[in-house]
């Protein structure tokens, strides 16, 4: 049956490939038989991360799909075959290998680097920076070179300069304009950028127009500038802007913009409705979009156009945030303030820390129109929220760019999140939905949960939901009770202080002395686990002791995570992710013997699932005999310290990240805290352990360790922030001691470090003052408290299996030996799973 | 089988097997302010029963509670492993899986008025724990 139309996609770059994915995923292949031509020999790859080719990634790992993706999906991909002509009369596409009929064409030919018309620009060793082949050529040329020059000090030029530096060349950047990155930053920002980049050993030459390139004396080439100054170099990379690859379109008579680019409408149609154009080759509303995200939007639009949908392309936000040569640069909206007459500007410049921030604000001071950041992108996300959601600015907009300690506005709290912000992703509940529920009569958290289902899925949004609900209730004049629950008129932090100060060691004593008089003395599932955690942080008595056991969540009671069918998971500690073959074998043998589903976790250890309650003590007996100890995967406590392999094996490593990870994991294991805590330790800046997504992230430097804090993965990812640099081993753990104890002391229940940090008045600066400068004078005390926890550590499972009283609970039925007959398993991929 | 037929059979069973007191466990098996589970052959067939022990709460009579071990929200037998507490003056247990609260006295779910756990009469006979079912 040949009702299928022939669709030809020209260009297998990032955007062309995205269109293929869209077609494959959305049934486009039922309608079209698709052929893709790619001039490059590689299948589509991630150009955005091209530079990583020099830091160890290869063509395969940069590729955007598996090698057989096209074949499996039924799309014909012809790499290494450039289209040389579009014959619109015959409706054929021409390559040097043949002619191919079409019904529709999508042009996704991207752009090429502009090489200024300078005599000598075609000499050997004059290169560009766009494709994998370009990078191969640069690498080859760099082998016999000692110096390199990049022509062009824009975004890509600086990225190329970084690459040359990485190839051990003495590197210079030559820019025609009077500052670096003229498109993104202003004079002040450019000046700061120059200082920072020169400090990295890259020479910056501004206002230099190259007149010609000729033979050099000391080096291969000599560049001659307008004032007859010269610069000698072995290698030149041109990065003077990009131009759309619109030649095919010109040749066949499609409408082209004055300065190039194939003109398209909101449906991505060119002047010939049989032909579409997307990505960097397309000119929409007089603009070329040199970023990948708008290209992807165009690809989605093209899919819709090809399948008679009505999605329109409506332009795209060009805000960007990057790290160039290790320097933060951010640009939002109208960063120069020259597109909005009457706009006002706020500027902040710190010559010592080398930070520059600028706000472009509407004439009435209410809306953010643009922003520019150099040296520190910390406030980028907040500013972007203001900009893209049109949130009204605070009375003092300048507070947004002032350093936090001088009374600046904190980052966006729940109040300033837009109505559209998703709060609960399991049930797709937005802030607007929550407000609607409150307006419809919900008067507390429970009511909102009941209405919207928010936080009833994975529960990961509990804290965020609470802060939004509290805020909205307060905004409506409802007095929000900050008490932890109906049994105590105190916050978690107040309870913590009471326990510490009065030395209260049991829940019953606490509730007798400080509980609400008008309730019974039982507590509930909110206050009991919270108090259990506080008691453990302070005194570290085994959580299964008789006085504490009724307080614990079931996971802590049975020291295992309850799964949805009532069985448990078993997770022994594998500190730093390092494990001997013998121990691996034991894990395998135990899993086999007790019929457990086995899975390697993101935390670099092994979970064994499906353990029956009555088997837990035997399983742990065997594990402990083999030298394992509990992994606290069930507790609000230290989970894992993830590590990369580090200097012992890795050729890039500068410190022993595994050794440090193991040491830290052993130091903090067993620490009970308001929520779980994860660490990561990487052996160098390549950051293979993804430490910046952890509560505590540690990255090795030549001189020691950089410490990052308050990161988070999971459902609301947050990059950890740099807290202290070049610490030696002892400084490192002492800083962490203080940091963690301060968190344990001041956080709300179930508040991760990231949320705690965001709600902390004074923010990171305040935290630094407390932890690094001891502004509260509590550091010695915090260190002492942590040392107590470290000194009193004992494996809870070892403690439990040596105590027959504690083991009594590990029976499905007190009066019957049978296991729970309703637990039924089936098998999947060779292992058990709940039926 | 139609719904009416089913209902009839249960009614019949009720009539035929009258409830009787039986021993579930001893005081030693209980965990104060928490729960344990027992397997009982009741008049309505086998049942997994969660037994909670709140010593000295409100005089002798109110120390023991027996309710269904089965959690209707997760379909797992886990109620005895929940946290015991009190809400609005009544002792409750929170399901360890999705955290709904059930009143110990009558099994009523506080979050959903249509859900109620079965309960049994329970009391100490000396050091033994007896349940009627
Ligand atoms: C070093 C570098 C860093 C970048 N960093 C970022 C970043 O951080 N963020 C961001 O958003 N963007 C970044 N970009 C830009 C981003 O890569 C582009 O916006 C994106 O790749 C554009 O996709 P495209 O498909 O339009 O073009 P391309 O990815 O260039 O693909 C076009 C493809 O078409 C092929 N082609 C051209 N003509 C023909 C023909 N006649 N026949 C067959 N094939 C043909 C080309 O060989 C090419 O493979 C970066 C670019 C570079 C070079
Ligand atoms: C009932 C709920 C959950 C259980 C039982 C659970 C359990 C676990 C376990 C056992 C691990 C392995 C870590 C380790 O080895 O110690 C893990 C890892 C992880 N969990 Fe969960 N989790 C739960 C909910 C969540 C939620 C809600 C999120 C997101 C908000 C989350 C995000 C993660 C992430 C990102 C990791 C990987 C950590 C890493 O890479 O180090 N989990 N979880
Ligand atoms: S982070 Fe670790 S594994 Fe990755 S390159 Fe650096 S030392 Fe090697």
């Amino acid at each position: 049956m040949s009702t299928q139309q022939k669709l030809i996609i020209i260009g297998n770059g990032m955007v062309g490939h995205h269109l293929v994915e869209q077609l494959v995923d959305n049934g486009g292949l039922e309608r079209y038989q698709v052929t893709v031509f790619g001039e490059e020999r590689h299948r589509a790859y991630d150009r955005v991360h091209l530079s990583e080719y020099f830091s160890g990634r290869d063509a395969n790992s940069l590729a955007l799909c598996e090698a057989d993706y096209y074949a499996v999906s039924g799309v014909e991909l012809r790499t290494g075959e450039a289209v040389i002509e579009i014959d619109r009369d015959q409706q054929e596409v021409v390559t040097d290998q043949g002619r191919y009929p079409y019904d529709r064409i999508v042009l996704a030919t991207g752009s090429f680097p502009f090489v200024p018309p300078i005599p000598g620009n075609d000499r050997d060793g004059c290169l560009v920076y766009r494709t994998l082949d370009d990078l191969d050529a640069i690498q080859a040329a760099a082998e016999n070179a000692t110096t390199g020059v990049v022509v062009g000090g824009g975004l890509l030029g600086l990225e190329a300069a970084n690459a040359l530096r990485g190839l051990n060349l003495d590197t210079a950047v030559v820019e025609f304009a009077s500052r670096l990155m003229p498109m993104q930053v202003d004079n002040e920002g450019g000046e700061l950028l120059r200082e920072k980049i020169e400090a990295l050993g890259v020479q910056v030459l501004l206002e230099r127009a190259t007149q010609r390139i000729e033979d050099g004396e000391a080096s291969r080439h000599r560049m001659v500038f307008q004032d007859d100054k010269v610069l000698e170099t072995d290698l030149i990379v041109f990065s003077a802007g990009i131009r759309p690859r619109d030649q095919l379109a010109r040749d066949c008579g499609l409408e082209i913009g004055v300065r190039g680019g194939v003109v398209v409408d909101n449906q991505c149609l060119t002047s010939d409705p049989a032909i579409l154009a997307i990505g960097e080759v397309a000119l929409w509303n007089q603009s070329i979009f040199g970023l990948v995200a708008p290209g992807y939007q165009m690809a989605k639009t093209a899919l819709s156009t090809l399948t008679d949908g009505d999605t329109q392309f409506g332009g795209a936000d060009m805000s960007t945030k990057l790290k160039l040569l290790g320097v933060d640069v951010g640009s939002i909206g109208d960063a120069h303030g020259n597109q909005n007459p009457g706009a006002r500007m706020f500027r902040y410049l710190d010559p010592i820390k080398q930070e520059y921030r600028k706000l472009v604000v509407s004439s009435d001071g209410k809306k953010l129109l643009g922003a520019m950041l150099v040296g520190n992108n910390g406030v980028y996300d907040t500013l972007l929220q203001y900009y893209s959601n049109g949130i009204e600015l605070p009375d003092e907009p300048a507070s947004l760019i002032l350093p936090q300690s001088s009374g600046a506005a904190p980052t966006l709290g729940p109040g300033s999140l837009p109505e559209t912000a998703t709060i609960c992703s399991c049930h797709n509940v937005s802030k607007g939905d929550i407000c609607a529920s409150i307006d419809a009569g919900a008067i507390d958290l429970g009511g909102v949960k009941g209405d919207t289902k928010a936080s009833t899925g994975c529960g990961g949004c509990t804290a965020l939901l609470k802060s939004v609900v509290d805020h909205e209730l307060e905004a409506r004049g409802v007095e929000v009770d900050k008490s932890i629950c109906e049994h105590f008129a105190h916050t978690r932090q107040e309870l913590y202080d009471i326990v510490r100060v009065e030395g209260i060691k049991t829940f019953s004593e606490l509730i007798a002395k400080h509980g609400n008089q008008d309730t019974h003395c039982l507590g509930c599932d909110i206050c009991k686990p919270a108090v259990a955690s506080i008691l453990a942080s302070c005194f570290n008595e085994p959580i299964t002791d008789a006085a504490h056991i009724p307080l614990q969540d079931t996971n802590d009671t049975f020291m295992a995570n309850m799964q949805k069918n009532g069985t448990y998971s078993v997770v022994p500690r594998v500190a730093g992710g390092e494990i001997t073959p013998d121990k691996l074998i034991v894990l395998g043998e135990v899993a086999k013997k007790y019929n457990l589903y086995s899975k390697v976790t993101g935390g670099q250890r092994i979970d064994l699932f499906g353990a029956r309650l009555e088997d837990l003590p035997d399983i742990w007996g065997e594990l402990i005999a083999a030298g394992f100890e509990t992994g606290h995967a069930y507790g609000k406590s230290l989970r894992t310290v993830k590590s990369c392999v580090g200097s012992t094996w890795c050729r890039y490593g500068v410190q022993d990240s595994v050794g440090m990870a193991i040491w830290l994991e052993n130091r903090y294991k067993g620490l009970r805290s308001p929520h779980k805590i994860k660490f990561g330790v990487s052996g160098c800046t390549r950051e293979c352990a993804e430490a910046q997504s952890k509560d505590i992230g540690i990255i090795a430097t030549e001189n020691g360790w950089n410490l990052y804090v308050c990161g988070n993965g999971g459902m609301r990812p947050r990059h950890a922030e740099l807290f202290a640099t070049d610490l030696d081993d002892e400084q490192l753990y002492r800083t962490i001691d203080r940091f963690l104890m301060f968190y344990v002391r001041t956080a709300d229940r179930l508040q991760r470090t990231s949320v705690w940090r965001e709600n902390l008045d004074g923010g990171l600066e305040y935290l630094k003052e407390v932890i690094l400068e001891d502004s509260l004078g509590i550091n010695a005390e915090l260190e002492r408290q942590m040392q107590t926890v470290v000194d009193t550590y004992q494996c809870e499972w070892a403690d439990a299996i040596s105590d027959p009283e504690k083991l009594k609970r590990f029976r499905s039925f007190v009066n019957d030996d049978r296991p729970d007959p309703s637990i039924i398993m089936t098998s999947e991929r060779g292992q058990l799973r709940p039926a | 089988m139609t719904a009416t037929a089913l209902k009839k059979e249960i009614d019949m069973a009720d009539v035929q097997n009258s409830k009787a007191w039986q021993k579930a466990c001893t005081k030693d098996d209980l965990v104060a302010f928490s729960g344990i589970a027992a397997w009982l052959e009741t008049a309505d067939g086998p049942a997994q029963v969660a037994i909670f022990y709140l010593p000295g709460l409100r005089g002798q009579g109110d120390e023991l509670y027996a309710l269904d071990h089965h959690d209707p929200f997760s379909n797992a037998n886990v109620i005895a492993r929940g946290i015991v507490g009190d809400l609005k003056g009544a002792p409750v247990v929170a399901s360890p899986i999705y955290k709904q609260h059930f009143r110990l006295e009558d099994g009523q779910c506080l979050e959903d008025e249509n859900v109620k756990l079965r309960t049994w009469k329970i009391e100490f006979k000396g050091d033994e724990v007896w349940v009627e079912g």
Side-chain angles (χ1 to χ4, degrees), chain A residues 620 624 630 794-803:
Chain A
W620 276 104
I624 287 166
T630 181
Q794 47 181 317
C795 170
E796 293 158 357
W797 263 110
D799 170 69
I801 58 175
S802 62
D803 183 344

Side-chain angles (χ1 to χ4, degrees), chain A residues 487 523 528 808-809 814-815 822, chain B residues 28 35 37 39 77 84 86 101:
Chain A
H487 300 97
K528 285 168 104 179
K808 270 188 4 193
R809 291 212 83 181
V814 284
N815 60 344
S822 66
Chain B
D28 231 23
W39 179 275
N77 297 308
V84 172
D86 54 55
H101 300 90

Side-chain angles (χ1 to χ4, degrees), chain A residues 456-457 486-487 519-526 528-529 546 549-554 557-558 562-568 613 805 808-809 811-816 818-823, chain B residues 23-25 28-41 48 54 57-58 69 74-78 80-92 94 96-99 101:
Chain A
T456 59
E486 65 177 63
H487 300 97
T519 57
H520 291 276
C521 54
L522 278 180
C524 66
D525 54 320
I526 304 292
K528 285 168 104 179
I549 197 80
L551 310 180
Q552 315 292 343
D553 263 322
T554 186
T557 311
F558 297 101
M562 182 185 274
Q563 307 300 322
K564 62 181 191 181
N565 64 349
T567 63
Y568 289 89
L613 182 61
E805 266 306 303
K808 270 188 4 193
R809 291 212 83 181
R811 295 179 286 179
S812 274
F813 307 108
V814 284
N815 60 344
D816 200 314
R818 82 179 81 202
D820 179 355
S822 66
I823 296 176
Chain B
K23 177 188 160 188
C25 59
D28 231 23
D29 290 317
L30 301 173
V31 182
F33 298 106
S34 185
I36 49 124
W39 179 275
L40 292 185
E41 300 293 342
Q48 300 192 18
L54 310 180
L57 179 63
R58 278 182 288 172
H69 189 33
S74 64
N75 252 331
N77 297 308
V78 293
R81 300 179 219 161
I83 297 187
V84 172
D86 54 55
L87 286 180
K88 305 188 178 109
V92 295
I97 296 205
Y98 298 121
K99 319 287 176 192
H101 300 90

Side-chain angles (χ1 to χ4, degrees), chain A residues 5-69:
Chain A
Q5 290 188 294
K6 288 189 169 39
L7 171 65
I8 287 181
I9 301 176
I10 307 179
N12 188 224
M14 298 190 73
V15 174
H17 175 75
H18 195 73
L19 174 60
V20 172
E21 285 183 347
Q22 294 293 315
L23 287 162
V24 170
D25 291 347
N26 296 294
L29 299 188
E30 285 156 27
R31 177 138 164 207
Y32 293 102
Q33 182 193 332
V34 182
T35 307
V36 181
F37 291 96
E39 171 197 61
E40 295 186 62
R41 48 194 180 92
H42 305 282
R43 67 181 185 282
Y45 54 86
D46 185 354
R47 204 177 303 287
V48 170
H49 293 106
L50 187 65
S51 299
E52 291 176 15
Y53 191 59
F54 282 145
S55 53
R57 290 184 67 181
D58 60 10
N60 218 14
S61 78
L62 283 170
L64 293 175
C65 60
E66 295 296 321
D68 59 358
Y69 174 81

